Amino acid sequence: MSTAARRLSHTSAHLRTVSTMAASEYTTRVVGAPNTLEHRVFIEKDGKVISPFHDIPLFANEHRTVLNMIVEVPRWTNAKLEISKEESFNPIKQDIKKGKLRFVRNCFPHKGYIWNYGAFPQTWEDPNATHAETKAKGDNDPLDVCEIGEAVGYPGQVKQVKVLGIMALLDEGETDWKVIVVDVNDPLAPKLNDIEDVERHLPGLIRATNEWFRIYKIPDGKPENHFAFSGEAKNKKYATEIIHETAEAWRKLVNGETPAGGISIANSTVEGSAGKVGPNDEAYAKLPQDSRQPPAPIDASIDKWFFISSAAA
């Protein structure tokens, strides 16, 4: 085995070890049945509820080359699940529009979400700040992540990933970054190190990702979305800069330097944060216990395919 091959093998083994150790720390507390208004997925560490927004570290290793990602929506599914910014300890819940649960539509040839979709903890796209290059303000959410590995995740799963690139969606006038990552345990992970590697080893995925975000709201009567940078996926270096910017914005949010504006900053680990609560705080006593149930049935119309004429553009 060559020196380069040995180095690559050692690095891959180290990343897998980091992933196994970190993933084993976290479990889920599931409340109610999926596809209902009451459904919530809380994240636990050592049996205690924590905030996926504030308590899970952004970086999973000391070199900051591996990051933690919270899976909100598993690949191929349609329920629009997301971290609740407003609720205490920020459980994952299904988004609601006009009192109804939201599902993304199937825009041919796609079925639901085409990656494991989720967010980076300890990041925030500040709605008060206009990005110099996109000329649009942040969308007031944690940084969105598209994990492109082969294993399908589950809501509340904490994956260890490495960053490959980023796309800048302009969603209803706001900057909505989409970071492209891969699970460090994925068989292709050793070969995927920057955005050009994605096209080399997963041809068509970046184009499909661009198309998916452009058209996914059209079946609901919304206009086509647009991207900054003419839809170009920026490289790992650029993505890393955005991650650090949003991590700094989160730090100011959780420490009270930026007004929370309705966001819950309840957490159990962030020293100096006004939202930090102790183990005997009443906030913990109010949290529901695990009451997981089988998924509620969903309307058959969610399986419909929509054929969008602009999809070929």
Side-chain angles (χ1 to χ4, degrees):
M1 182 184 290
S2 68
T3 301
R6 281 196 301 272
R7 188 181 299 119
L8 180 60
S9 177
H10 174 76
T11 300
S12 300
H14 173 69
L15 293 181
R16 286 194 295 272
T17 301
V18 168
S19 176
T20 301
M21 291 175 62
S24 63
E25 296 179 3
Y26 303 106
T27 55
T28 58
R29 179 185 297 189
V30 181
V31 177
N35 309 317
T36 66
L37 294 170
E38 299 75 26
H39 180 59
R40 298 290 186 275
V41 179
F42 289 89
I43 312 298
E44 295 182 332
K45 182 179 180 182
D46 302 324
K48 192 172 186 63
V49 168
I50 61 171
S51 165
F53 194 176
H54 308 304
D55 286 319
I56 296 175
L58 172 59
F59 298 103
N61 68 345
E62 59 180 293
H63 300 296
R64 297 191 166 197
T65 54
V66 179
L67 284 70
N68 287 312
M69 166 206 177
I70 298 99
V71 177
E72 297 168 315
V73 186
R75 190 172 75 236
W76 309 140
T77 63
N78 298 74
K80 193 176 189 306
L81 301 170
E82 59 186 17
I83 291 170
S84 172
K85 302 190 302 289
E86 298 78 17
E87 296 183 20
S88 186
F89 292 99
N90 314 110
I92 296 170
K93 69 171 189 175
Q94 191 164 349
D95 192 24
I96 301 168
K97 193 91 166 193
K98 297 180 180 178
K100 294 185 177 182
L101 296 169
R102 285 188 67 189
F103 295 87
V104 300
R105 302 297 186 166
N106 300 310
C107 295
F108 181 85
H110 310 301
K111 167 66 174 80
Y113 287 74
I114 61 173
W115 350 252
N116 292 308
Y117 190 67
F120 278 140
Q122 299 187 341
T123 62
W124 181 54
E125 296 192 51
D126 187 350
N128 306 296
T130 299
H131 191 268
E133 293 186 82
T134 67
K135 307 293 192 270
K137 294 181 178 180
D139 73 345
N140 198 32
D141 284 327
L143 198 56
D144 292 329
V145 182
C146 302
E147 193 278 310
I148 62 174
E150 66 180 39
V152 176
Y154 58 86
Q157 181 180 13
V158 180
K159 279 180 172 282
Q160 283 65 54
V161 302
K162 61 180 184 178
V163 174
L164 303 174
I166 194 168
M167 304 176 80
L169 182 68
L170 299 176
D171 191 349
E172 300 183 26
E174 298 175 329
T175 304
D176 191 4
W177 297 103
K178 309 296 181 185
V179 186
I180 311 299
V181 307
V182 65
D183 189 324
V184 296
N185 289 315
D186 191 82
L188 272 180
K191 296 180 179 180
L192 299 176
N193 296 296
D194 214 321
I195 197 66
E196 65 268 15
D197 298 325
V198 178
E199 183 58 31
R200 183 178 301 117
H201 296 285
L202 301 167
L205 182 57
I206 297 299
R207 179 192 58 77
T209 296
N210 178 300
E211 176 184 279
W212 194 97
F213 281 115
R214 280 194 298 107
I215 68 175
Y216 82 102
K217 290 186 177 181
I218 292 177
D220 294 322
K222 296 285 186 70
E224 181 175 311
N225 280 323
H226 297 281
F227 281 92
F229 315 118
S230 301
E232 174 193 0
K234 294 291 200 177
N235 64 14
K236 177 179 181 175
K237 180 177 183 295
Y238 194 98
T240 301
E241 291 171 358
I242 298 300
I243 291 167
H244 284 281
E245 286 178 15
T246 57
E248 175 62 14
W250 168 82
R251 186 194 65 78
K252 292 179 178 179
L253 171 72
V254 80
N255 287 331
E257 297 174 43
T258 302
I263 295 175
S264 171
I265 59 170
N267 70 85
S268 61
T269 59
V270 185
E271 296 297 335
S273 168
K276 186 180 180 186
V277 298
N280 299 319
D281 193 278
E282 65 176 348
Y284 280 110
K286 294 179 179 178
L287 292 172
Q289 295 303 306
D290 193 293
S291 59
R292 63 187 70 205
Q293 299 174 29
I298 60 175
D299 192 278
S301 65
I302 302 304
D303 288 330
K304 179 179 177 180
W305 239 341
F306 289 82
F307 294 79
I308 311 297
S309 61
S310 65

